[in-house]
């Protein structure tokens, strides 16, 4: 089974709407970033608009979109994970239509006969394999109506200080053969601003605005940082022998405690975040 599908199927029950206080705080913050992005972009939304939500997950972006633009007729959500889609359907009702599918596959786009006024792509484009990036942006351009738009947020290369380039790679190499390590890590593909800009331009979008946003939040204990790395970004644990998990946990703890990116200041640990906020318009 696709690693991402497995990872998000297992996160569906708590993704965005769980009761656990730690995760509730994380997802309140994520929802706020989506809401703020939708509010500041100037997008035309006609009465009876149809919108496509790529990598819709449990439907947080669709939910916020319906609140802001109640005139929307329908949102079509696509996701690899049927469990995430089921959660979205429970909340969003009849105006939300879910399809299980992989938007990196040309065959999925070929089945789409209708045109959309807008595309939402929140927290999902960092999962696109490098060689699929331009093709996906071209597909989006094609299914948009005139004056259509795409907006979203993707993780940047310095998310969590860029630990997937070094710390996680090093950790995995201790337990897994190099081939498996690079296969797992090749899933994580944050792009930089100029690459995203270039892809939009090449696909015929006439206007785009892409912002790189770096900031840090603080958590109280190293345990909290470890939870974020292990559960929010758990794809790199796919295929790991479960009996090795305590060892991975312990090693990771040693890494973060000795790493200047996660400084403890006044009893709090800094967690560096990096987001890329983007919008592009077809005129
Ligand atoms: C971090 S979640 C974001 C969910 C939602 N957009 C939000 O902002 O809350 C990323 C979602 O993208 C989906 N995803 C990743 N790659 C995908 C692909 N190639 N096709 C369809 N869905 C994909 C995952 O299954 C997951 O549900």
């Amino acid at each position: 089974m696709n690693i991402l599908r497995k990872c998000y199927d297992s996160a569906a029950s708590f993704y965005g709407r769980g009761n656990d206080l730690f995760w509730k705080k994380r997802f309140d913050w994520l929802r706020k970033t989506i809401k703020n992005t939708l509010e500041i972009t100037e997008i035309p939304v006609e009465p009876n608009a149809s919108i496509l939500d790529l990598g819709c997950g449990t439907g947080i972006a669709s939910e916020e979109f319906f609140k802001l633009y109640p005139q929307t007729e329908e949102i079509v959500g696509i996701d690899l994970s049927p469990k995430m889609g089921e959660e979205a359907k429970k909340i969003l009702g009849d105006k939300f239509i879910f399809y299980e599918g992989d938007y990196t596959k040309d065959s999925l786009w070929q089945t789409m006969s209708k045109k959309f006024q807008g595309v939402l792509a929140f927290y999902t484009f960092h999962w696109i394999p490098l060689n699929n990036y331009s093709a996906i942006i071209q597909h989006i351009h094609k299914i948009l109506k005139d004056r259509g738009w795409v907006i979203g947020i993707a993780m940047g290369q310095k998310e969590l200080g860029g630990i997937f380039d070094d710390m996680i790679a090093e950790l995995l190499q201790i337990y897994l053969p190099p081939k498996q390590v690079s296969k797992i890590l090749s899933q994580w593909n944050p792009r930089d601003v100029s690459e995203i800009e270039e892809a939009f331009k090449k696909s015929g979008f006439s206007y785009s605005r892409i912002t790189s946003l770096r900031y840090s939040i603080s958590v109280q204990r190293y345990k909290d940082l470890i939870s974020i790395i292990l559960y929010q970004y758990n794809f790199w644990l796919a295929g790991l022998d479960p009996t090795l998990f305590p060892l991975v946990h312990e090693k990771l703890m040693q890494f973060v405690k000795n790493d200047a990116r996660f400084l403890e200041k006044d009893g709090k640990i800094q967690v560096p975040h990096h987001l890329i906020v983007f919008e592009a318009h077809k005129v």
Side-chain angles (χ1 to χ4, degrees):
M1 195 199 280
N2 181 303
I3 291 174
L4 288 180
R5 172 177 165 175
K6 210 165 145 190
C7 137
Y8 281 109
D9 269 352
S10 66
S13 62
F14 72 93
Y15 195 99
R17 297 189 185 85
N19 289 325
D20 177 284
L21 215 105
F22 177 76
W23 289 111
K24 196 177 167 336
K25 254 171 83 180
R26 295 285 301 166
F27 286 112
D28 282 353
W29 159 83
L30 175 131
R31 182 183 287 272
K32 212 157 130 190
T33 62
I34 294 175
K35 185 170 182 275
N36 288 350
T37 304
L38 291 173
E39 280 170 353
I40 59 170
T41 40
E42 283 175 32
I43 44 174
V45 181
E46 283 159 16
N48 311 324
S50 285
I51 305 295
L52 180 65
D53 187 353
L54 285 180
C56 60
T58 55
I60 297 175
S62 290
E63 192 182 350
E64 291 305 317
F65 193 86
F66 275 134
K67 279 189 211 157
L68 265 178
Y69 300 104
Q71 72 270 37
T72 306
E73 183 164 289
E74 62 166 14
I75 302 186
V76 175
I78 292 182
D79 205 285
L80 281 176
S81 157
K83 293 227 162 88
M84 294 286 268
E86 272 162 33
E87 294 298 321
K89 282 202 296 191
K90 276 189 213 160
I91 296 286
L92 296 167
D94 290 350
K95 281 165 78 169
F96 180 80
I97 301 136
F98 175 71
Y99 292 108
E100 179 186 331
D102 180 346
Y103 63 71
T104 64
K105 300 265 187 284
D106 289 338
S107 51
L108 179 127
W109 297 94
Q110 277 147 14
T111 58
M112 282 191 210
S113 51
K114 74 186 292 177
K115 296 243 177 189
F116 294 90
Q117 191 173 13
V119 172
L120 308 174
F122 283 91
Y123 293 107
T124 191
F125 276 5
H126 45 272
W127 296 122
I128 299 177
L130 252 189
N131 54 355
N132 286 122
Y133 214 90
S134 298
I136 291 168
I137 306 287
Q138 277 163 27
H139 283 305
I140 292 174
H141 188 269
K142 221 165 162 186
I143 53 92
L144 281 174
K145 290 183 173 173
D146 289 343
R147 296 180 62 242
W149 43 264
V150 48
I151 48 180
I153 299 177
M155 292 304 188
Q157 282 156 333
K158 294 293 171 200
E159 172 63 6
L160 299 182
I163 57 169
F164 294 103
D165 291 340
D166 47 52
M167 189 185 289
I168 302 296
E170 204 177 316
L171 190 59
L172 283 172
Q173 275 160 30
I174 300 173
Y175 313 106
L176 297 174
K179 246 191 170 167
Q180 210 174 329
V181 171
S182 52
K183 189 171 167 234
I184 290 175
L185 291 176
S186 70
Q187 298 278 329
W188 177 252
N189 270 312
R191 312 269 31 96
D192 70 25
V193 169
S194 60
E195 288 169 310
I196 300 176
E197 205 166 24
E198 187 64 23
F200 282 135
K201 216 165 155 188
K202 262 192 14 228
S203 306
F205 283 94
S206 51
Y207 166 71
S208 68
R209 185 164 56 179
I210 298 139
T211 312
S212 168
L213 213 67
R214 289 184 69 175
Y215 63 100
S216 60
I217 57 160
S218 45
V219 292
Q220 277 175 338
R221 301 158 301 180
Y222 277 108
K223 197 170 154 260
D224 298 330
L225 168 62
I226 296 287
S227 289
I228 294 168
I229 303 173
L230 290 175
Y231 297 105
Q232 190 172 338
Y233 297 95
N234 65 2
F235 73 100
W236 59 277
L237 293 170
L240 193 79
D241 176 346
T243 60
L244 292 175
F245 188 79
L247 209 55
V248 170
H249 189 285
E250 193 191 313
K251 282 268 176 203
L252 183 59
M253 186 63 97
Q254 279 170 22
F255 275 139
V256 294
K257 280 188 167 172
N258 291 309
D259 195 299
R261 287 171 289 196
F262 307 107
L263 288 179
E264 189 172 353
K265 224 165 112 198
D266 305 328
K268 298 217 161 145
I269 319 296
Q270 300 303 312
V271 184
H273 285 299
H274 185 198
L275 305 181
I276 307 283
V277 184
F278 57 86
E279 63 175 287
H281 299 258
K282 174 177 178 176
V283 177

